[in-house]
Amino acid sequence: SRAILPPLPGEPPVSSGATVGDVSVISLDKPSANAIGLLPVSRTGLPRDLWGVTPETELAEALRRERFEMLPAMQGLLLKLALAELAPPAIMAPGGRPVLFLARVDKLLELGALEPALALLEQADATDPEIFRRRFDVALLLGEENRACDALRDTPSIAPAYATRVFCLARGGDWDTAILTFGTGRAIGQIEPEMETVLERFLDPELDDGEDLPPPSRPSPLIFRMMEAIGQPMPTGPLPVAFAQADLRANTGWKARIEAAERLARSGAIDA
């Protein structure tokens, strides 16, 4: 027989509670976005398990804190981390959200490296609203409006903002539906006043009374492209460096192209 020892007086409890801890969820039929990269370990020289057991949310926050005003060698390392193909963190973010992947993409956008960012985004789950929004914006900044709208058409599960829907309907030549959608969005208050003014001029050039629209306070890539379409292109100098990519096209003057290239080279987005 075994003796049952009585509990010791004042013994601390084994657990502070009986609640269920956070459970990470991941789909088994598709790879994690955090595993997506453009540079294999054979090129980067980084260990595949570089992230280790540091929680994914901490890694994402640390990456977002880094600024590109640094020495070129540090810029190169930052780009390498953003593009590296590594194993996902052992401790994922709650809900299975790819917060580290999104932080890597946002860092590329902050540096103005749009083409690598788009290459990463096109490998990820397009039905994720945050991934789709970034993919759409990057395509607009690269001057690939049709590619952006094709992505919207090919992802019917995404419910885009009214302004995005109107823009793509108009780009596809369906002007009647675009105008109807615009009127519906305006009636139910789903289009911001600044966006409403630009969209209205974009859909109906006859509203042009000869006066330029006031420059938007915080232009999105969509507003930036529509301002260009109505004949009021915005200078990219005061805008975030990602907008400078729009000035690298052949239809831009040499001075603007050179200044944009210098900005992007300073951030490490293009080769000097």
Side-chain angles (χ1 to χ4, degrees), residues 19 36 54 56 99 163 229:
T19 57
I36 296 174
T54 304
E56 182 180 352
V99 296

Side-chain angles (χ1 to χ4, degrees), residues 199-252:
L199 261 179
E200 195 170 32
R201 183 76 63 89
F202 175 73
L203 291 173
D204 191 358
E206 293 184 0
L207 293 175
D208 188 352
D209 56 3
E211 294 186 6
D212 288 346
L213 295 178
S217 56
R218 296 184 62 185
S220 65
L222 182 56
I223 287 181
F224 179 80
R225 281 297 173 212
M226 287 194 295
M227 290 292 288
E228 183 181 62
I230 66 176
Q232 286 186 230
M234 302 179 62
T236 63
L239 302 178
V241 68
F243 286 82
Q245 287 276 0
D247 284 340
L248 297 185
R249 294 172 298 166
N251 60 346
T252 304

Side-chain angles (χ1 to χ4, degrees), residues 160-167 181-182 184-186 188 190-191 199:
Y162 270 87
T164 301
R165 202 178 310 169
V166 170
F167 175 79
T181 304
F182 171 68
T184 302
R186 178 167 57 180
I188 63 177
Q190 291 297 310
I191 301 177
L199 261 179

Side-chain angles (χ1 to χ4, degrees), residues 168-188:
C168 284
L169 286 169
R171 288 285 305 181
D174 194 351
W175 290 95
D176 291 339
T177 306
I179 293 172
L180 178 62
T181 304
F182 171 68
T184 302
R186 178 167 57 180
I188 63 177

